[in-house]
Amino acid sequence: LYSISLVCIIGILSAIFVAFTVQPLIFLLFIGSASKRPINLRLLIHSVLSFTYYGLGGLFLSIGSLTLMKILPIKKKTKMKWFHKTISTFMKSVLYTNPFVRKTVLDPSREDFKKPAILIANHTSFLDILAVGMLYPKIIYLVNDWVYRSPIFGKAVQLAGFYPVSGGIEKGLDHLRKKVDQGYSLMAFPEGTRSRTNKIRRFHKGAFYLAEQFNMDIIPILIHGNSEVLPKGSFVIRDGSITVKILDRITPGSPHFGITSRERSKNIAAYFKKEFRILRKEIEGSGYFHPSVLEDYRYKGDSLYRTVKEDLKKYGDMYGQISKHIGTTDTIIHLSNDFGQLDFLLSLNAVDRKMITYLKEDRVRPIVENSFISRQIANLTLVDQIDDALEMEADVLLVSLKNEGLDRWDQKIKNEIELLILLKDGTKLSEQVTIRSNFNAILEDKDLIILKRTE
């Protein structure tokens, strides 16, 4: 009896442990939450393998820096040359071990990096370091403390001559100047830290200060796609594409960007952001963000997922047209009979847009409100009543509701709304006299009418 009771107790405790510990962890891992995207088993396995390979490779490099690099009877200069070559090759191999992520390097000026320069790039992901590192071996990174002191690859980083920025740029001038004299370029992420989205944040002037102190060229490097493949806070590498574009060198004597480091940081940042917008337009078609949107519906019910998937397939090009006509910082009121998919697309395309959305379906509101995109990326406010949206200021009004008159919106439309977009069932409202008398049609189709306020 004692043995049977003990077995029962162990069984009960095991069941409790699984129910309250293991199952919630599995649910959070695969189903996701408002702060984590859902994943599937293939992504998990491939990510574990990639990070394991990266960790073991980093550990091997650190061990090698403590052993082989010290005992090999070769000149230090030669050893460091091959050590940096090994690091660069390893970085490239980490990226290219994943066949589900396409890699593209655009180099219209055929940059060879032989003349030392300050390299600057936008920063959204850990993969950015690998994307730059694979371009050329002789690069010294300005890194954060956690990289410099990492128990896995810290020793390799230290031997390679990377510099921890927490020590202050001014304190590192002698060390960095010595590396430049040895033919190394310096790499910095001017934003200072990773961004959660593809929005490029304010540039700090550290890299431009170094360019001024050392009289060096600046090479801007655009990195696109990592914000979707491996965004900040995620440890799961998703399918997608990474594009690296190397822009022309900016010489110290170029008057177009100013004289002082402050002027140059401001003007080069504006140039960088402009070029990145151009690159985005070249890469991001109307369906670029569809996989990201669908992820937020994957485990919210098969019927809802299929409905949104079919809607994106049918109206994806139309949604792309809508996004092109809306400003990247506009405030948008959306009266919708859909499930939030257009709101997500508009937000992902331009994270500074402010969305004020009324969803007719009550059951959909909590799903949209508690999604990853709503909580982590979009500036999205859901209202329970149409009149709640009427009280808020906006530049754009989107209407896709059936049989929803705009009579009580007359004054708001006349005095405030700059762009009126009628889509799907909302196109039936286009014949209202008030609308036609204040707006000109700039696009008119069966399922989409875009009206712009007359000057």
Side-chain angles (χ1 to χ4, degrees), residues 5-39:
S5 299
L6 184 61
V7 170
C8 290
I9 292 172
I10 293 174
I12 293 171
L13 291 176
S14 299
I16 293 173
F17 175 77
V18 170
F20 290 95
T21 304
V22 177
Q23 287 182 352
L25 288 175
I26 293 175
F27 181 90
L28 182 63
L29 179 62
F30 288 100
I31 306 302
S33 67
S35 60
K36 298 290 183 183
R37 284 190 182 279
I39 65 170

Side-chain angles (χ1 to χ4, degrees), residues 119-396:
L119 314 183
I120 60 171
N122 53 307
H123 199 19
T124 61
S125 171
F126 151 77
L127 296 180
D128 297 333
I129 299 173
L130 308 183
V132 175
M134 71 175 183
L135 298 176
Y136 189 67
K138 299 189 71 172
I139 297 176
I140 300 297
Y141 287 81
L142 277 63
V143 298
N144 291 322
D145 279 358
W146 74 267
V147 176
Y148 196 76
R149 298 173 181 171
S150 168
I152 297 177
F153 40 77
K155 293 301 180 182
V157 163
Q158 293 168 26
L159 178 64
F162 293 8
Y163 180 74
V165 291
S166 63
I169 295 294
E170 292 82 0
K171 294 180 181 179
L173 287 179
D174 290 341
H175 168 75
L176 296 174
R177 190 186 300 275
K178 181 179 178 181
K179 290 299 179 182
V180 171
D181 291 341
Q182 293 172 356
Y184 288 91
S185 291
L186 307 180
M187 171 65 211
F189 295 106
E191 294 169 275
T193 186
R194 291 172 294 168
S195 172
R196 280 189 174 273
T197 67
N198 51 30
K199 177 186 176 181
I200 299 175
R201 299 186 297 181
R202 183 178 68 88
F203 278 11
H204 298 285
K205 63 179 180 14
F208 308 97
Y209 170 77
L210 289 175
E212 182 183 50
Q213 291 296 309
F214 300 158
N215 196 38
M216 296 176 69
D217 296 345
I218 294 174
I219 302 178
I221 299 174
L222 310 177
I223 305 175
H224 180 277
N226 280 341
S227 55
E228 287 75 57
V229 173
L230 184 66
K232 180 180 180 179
S234 175
F235 294 95
V236 176
I237 302 172
R238 287 174 162 75
D239 300 348
S241 63
I242 300 172
T243 302
V244 179
K245 183 173 183 179
I246 305 164
L247 302 182
D248 292 342
R249 285 176 177 254
I250 300 173
T251 61
S254 175
H256 179 69
F257 296 101
I259 304 300
T260 68
S261 59
R262 183 182 296 274
E263 291 174 341
R264 290 173 72 79
S265 65
K266 179 181 178 181
N267 294 330
I268 291 175
Y271 164 71
F272 193 104
K273 292 173 183 178
K274 176 185 175 182
E275 291 295 322
F276 190 68
R277 287 194 297 270
I278 294 172
L279 182 63
R280 285 190 62 190
K281 288 180 181 179
E282 293 173 354
I283 294 175
E284 297 174 14
S286 58
Y288 180 79
F289 287 110
H290 288 187
S292 298
V293 170
L294 284 172
E295 276 191 345
D296 266 17
Y297 295 93
R298 185 174 298 279
Y299 299 108
K300 307 294 173 62
D302 288 343
S303 176
L304 177 60
Y305 178 80
R306 287 196 301 269
T307 300
V308 172
K309 186 176 182 179
E310 286 300 316
D311 181 82
L312 293 177
K313 182 178 179 179
K314 182 177 181 180
Y315 296 108
D317 290 339
M318 184 180 79
Y319 294 156
Q321 286 290 328
I322 291 172
S323 186
K324 288 178 182 179
H325 284 88
I326 298 176
T328 57
T329 60
D330 281 353
T331 298
I332 306 155
I333 292 176
H334 187 195
L335 310 180
S336 174
N337 198 29
D338 288 322
F339 308 101
Q341 63 269 33
L342 176 55
D343 306 275
F344 288 165
L345 286 173
L346 293 175
S347 297
L348 289 169
N349 183 265
V351 296
D352 286 331
R353 287 171 177 159
K354 182 179 180 182
M355 301 293 307
I356 302 163
T357 300
Y358 166 77
L359 296 173
K360 188 173 182 180
E361 290 282 346
D362 292 346
R363 65 183 180 87
V364 177
R365 292 176 199 162
I367 294 175
V368 173
E369 188 173 21
N370 293 289
S371 72
F372 176 86
I373 295 175
S374 296
R375 291 295 186 90
Q376 301 297 324
I377 298 175
N379 186 351
L380 174 62
T381 301
L382 293 177
V383 296
D384 295 328
Q385 303 293 332
I386 289 181
D387 288 343
D388 294 337
L390 181 62
E391 302 300 321
M392 300 184 183
E393 295 183 0
D395 308 292
V396 181

